[in-house]
Amino acid sequence: MNQTPLEDKDKELSGLLRQSRPEPALPLGFEAAVWRRMRSGEPSRAATDWAHWLEALAEWFLRPQRAMVGLATLAVAGLLWGTVDGLALAKQQAQARYLAAVAPDANR
Amino acid sequence: MKRSLLLLILVLLASVAMFQGAHWVACRLCAARAAESLDDLQWLRMEFQLQEAELTRIRQLHNGYLPQCRQYCQQIADKKAALGKLLENGGTADATKETLHEIAMLRVDCQTEMLRHFEAVSREMPPAQGARYLAKMRELTLGSHERVEKSMAAPAAAAPHAHH
């Protein structure tokens, strides 16, 4: 198939455009530097292991049933511990009250 | 990985918040309920597991002792006010010493009365609890003085030549 004059002109134009934008020469060791950077960007084996472990842990925890049981356990533990601490605090307050009645600071 | 880490951090924060929240609520509720009681003898009931009859006898002793205690406190407060005025007006060393002596004597009488009261209260308790009460009260009242004296004496003991 014969090329039309218009297609010939296009090729000519493309050639001219290529010449007008010369490609700069790459610096020395450019390719090696690119490969080095690509290699350093790859995740290490330890990092992938850690990521897997983290994901497995997140998956284990974030099951609704487990999350609910965990939070409920923490709430109960907090309430129990709080009650023990609250009773100790109440005892301290009661002791301070008795002491203030029978032995005010001036007497000591 | 970042998403998992973020989720785990959120789970951890939620857990800490849940535990702390529950602890805080329970602690406040218990302390608030205890604070509602206006009974001075609530601590004796709680700490020494007293029967109602024992507590009634101790309450009589307590109510009899309080006016005496208040009277001593008032006398000490008056003497301390007099001492303050004396020092402000540049009173003589003799007058200051005498007032300090009077305050000290009032404190001796007051503490003697207080110890007698503790002994009387301890006799109304079962023997083991009574002994524990007496030891505790001596520690809480006279012991506070001892602690101050020990803390003041400690540097001198550490450096015995300091006074030479």
Side-chain angles (χ1 to χ4, degrees):
Chain A
M1 207 158 83
N2 286 341
Q3 286 184 332
T4 60
L6 198 62
E7 281 176 333
D8 287 343
K9 290 215 174 196
D10 270 356
K11 275 187 178 173
E12 224 173 290
L13 184 64
S14 299
L16 281 171
L17 282 171
R18 258 198 303 276
Q19 281 170 10
S20 69
R21 287 181 304 192
E23 285 177 12
L26 294 174
L28 202 66
F30 177 80
E31 242 177 83
V34 169
W35 279 111
R36 199 168 49 244
R37 285 175 68 181
M38 282 172 74
R39 271 197 297 274
S40 67
E42 279 173 8
S44 64
R45 193 184 160 78
T48 45
D49 282 354
W50 170 245
H52 283 311
W53 183 83
L54 209 63
E55 269 164 31
L57 197 68
E59 201 180 320
W60 193 88
F61 267 117
L62 294 175
R63 294 274 164 86
Q65 215 172 352
R66 283 184 191 140
M68 289 301 287
V69 169
L71 287 179
T73 307
L74 281 171
V76 171
L79 284 172
L80 286 175
W81 201 328
T83 306
V84 171
D85 282 355
L87 286 175
L89 189 66
K91 210 181 226 186
Q92 267 181 6
Q93 286 172 349
Q95 188 196 62
R97 191 186 175 86
Y98 178 71
L99 212 57
V102 297
D105 284 342
N107 296 358
R108 284 186 238 161
Chain B
M1 179 180 164
K2 272 186 185 168
R3 190 173 157 270
S4 303
L5 191 65
L6 192 70
L7 282 171
L8 279 173
I9 289 171
L10 282 175
V11 166
L12 196 69
L13 287 177
S15 307
V16 170
M18 175 63 87
F19 180 81
Q20 283 293 333
H23 179 273
W24 188 83
V25 167
C27 194
R28 296 296 129 190
L29 279 177
C30 275
R33 280 210 57 188
E36 276 172 15
S37 167
L38 297 174
D39 188 4
D40 285 345
L41 305 184
Q42 176 75 7
W43 177 61
L44 296 186
R45 192 203 303 265
M46 287 164 81
E47 182 70 29
F48 301 99
Q49 294 105 36
L50 299 178
Q51 302 292 320
E52 216 37 60
E54 293 160 346
L55 202 66
T56 306
R57 288 197 299 274
I58 290 172
R59 196 178 296 282
Q60 284 170 353
L61 288 172
H62 182 75
N63 291 338
Y65 165 74
L66 283 186
Q68 282 178 308
C69 179
R70 286 197 192 109
Q71 202 179 347
Y72 277 121
C73 283
Q74 189 56 51
Q75 287 175 354
I76 291 170
D78 291 346
K79 282 287 169 200
K80 279 167 84 174
L83 178 68
K85 275 185 190 164
L86 200 64
L87 292 172
E88 263 179 35
N89 300 331
T92 60
D94 283 346
T96 307
K97 190 179 173 185
E98 196 183 322
T99 313
L100 280 171
H101 183 75
E102 284 169 1
I103 292 173
M105 291 317 292
L106 276 171
R107 281 196 169 133
V108 167
D109 291 346
C110 185
Q111 287 187 332
T112 308
E113 209 53 52
M114 183 179 76
L115 291 176
R116 269 194 207 132
H117 171 68
F118 293 158
E119 280 161 15
V121 169
S122 75
R123 282 194 292 272
E124 296 301 333
M125 294 182 180
Q129 300 289 36
R132 196 160 70 85
Y133 165 82
L134 207 53
K136 184 87 180 165
M137 292 315 292
R138 282 175 181 161
E139 182 208 320
L140 286 173
T141 54
L142 305 179
S144 67
H145 263 313
E146 278 170 21
R147 275 193 294 276
V148 173
E149 284 159 7
K150 271 181 192 165
S151 70
M152 298 294 279
H161 299 291
H163 291 291
H164 288 195

